């Protein structure tokens, strides 16, 4: 367990790692305050063209050079669907309309919850942004090396939803 906070925000006593609520968490030995780390929320959008799905080749350190569904973190106070559309525009140059939720995805031990949406192109021109080395459309049965194991679950659920 990574301990990011060193001192209690209530009484300034040094925190200790202890079991609390079924997990090891930073706990203040003086006042009993427990530090809970909130998960990050990411939003991705699945867009199809000619029965192919839009993917971006990552330019970020995590997954560099591998492919993923366009998306990224939701900013505090931002509407999740707005974040999903913003990320597509930033990474691919395409404007999209968010059509609906595909699903919510999480994995044990990972601090990110992914909200996956389906979307429709409404404008723009396919051009990788600063966080992408490339962007393109791929057949579901011929995907490039993917950056995140969870992408396959997202793509599978999206594909099944499109079939009926």
């Amino acid at each position: 367990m990574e301990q990011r906070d060193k001192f209690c925000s209530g009484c300034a006593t040094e925190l200790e790692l202890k079991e609390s609520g079924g997990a090891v968490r930073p706990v203040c030995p003086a006042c009993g305050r427990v530090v809970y780390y909130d998960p990050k929320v990411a939003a991705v959008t699945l867009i199809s063209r000619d029965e192919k799905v839009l993917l971006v080749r990552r330019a970020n350190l995590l997954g560099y050079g591998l492919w993923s569904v366009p998306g990224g973190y939701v900013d505090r106070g931002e509407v999740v669907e707005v974040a999903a559309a913003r990320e597509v525009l930033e990474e691919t140059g395409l404007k999209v309309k968010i059509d609906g939720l595909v699903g919510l995805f999480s994995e044990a031990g990972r601090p990110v919850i992914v909200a996956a949406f389906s979307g429709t192109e409404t404008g723009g021109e396919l051009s990788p942004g600063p966080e992408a080395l490339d962007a393109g459309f791929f057949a579901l049965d011929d995907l490039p090396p993917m950056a995140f194991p969870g992408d396959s679950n997202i793509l599978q659920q999206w594909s099944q939803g499109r079939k009926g």
Side-chain angles (χ1 to χ4, degrees), residues 13-150:
T13 301
E14 189 168 356
L15 297 170
E16 298 175 356
L17 291 177
K18 294 183 176 179
E19 192 280 326
S20 175
V24 175
R25 307 176 198 282
V27 178
C28 178
C31 71
R33 182 179 298 226
V34 179
V35 177
Y36 295 94
Y37 295 125
D38 295 331
K40 286 293 291 177
V41 176
V44 301
T45 306
L46 296 133
I47 300 154
S48 68
R49 183 191 284 175
D50 301 324
E51 298 302 314
K52 296 179 178 181
V53 65
L54 177 62
L55 300 175
V56 293
R57 189 167 182 213
R58 295 181 55 80
N60 293 336
L61 186 58
L62 184 61
Y64 182 87
L66 300 175
W67 294 81
S68 66
V69 178
Y73 291 123
V74 178
D75 292 330
R76 185 179 186 125
E78 186 176 30
V79 173
V80 179
E81 293 87 348
V82 171
R86 173 183 54 77
E87 287 288 345
V88 172
L89 180 61
E90 289 175 3
E91 293 184 355
T92 71
L94 295 178
K95 295 179 182 178
V96 296
K97 174 180 86 62
I98 300 300
D99 298 325
L101 182 68
V102 172
L104 295 174
F105 300 85
S106 61
E107 298 175 40
R110 298 223 32 210
V112 179
I113 297 169
V114 179
F117 296 94
S118 60
T120 305
E121 286 182 67
T122 61
E125 186 174 318
L126 186 60
S127 175
E131 295 181 3
L133 299 171
D134 198 1
F137 288 86
F138 295 86
L140 289 172
D141 61 357
D142 191 26
L143 296 174
M146 300 299 287
F148 307 110

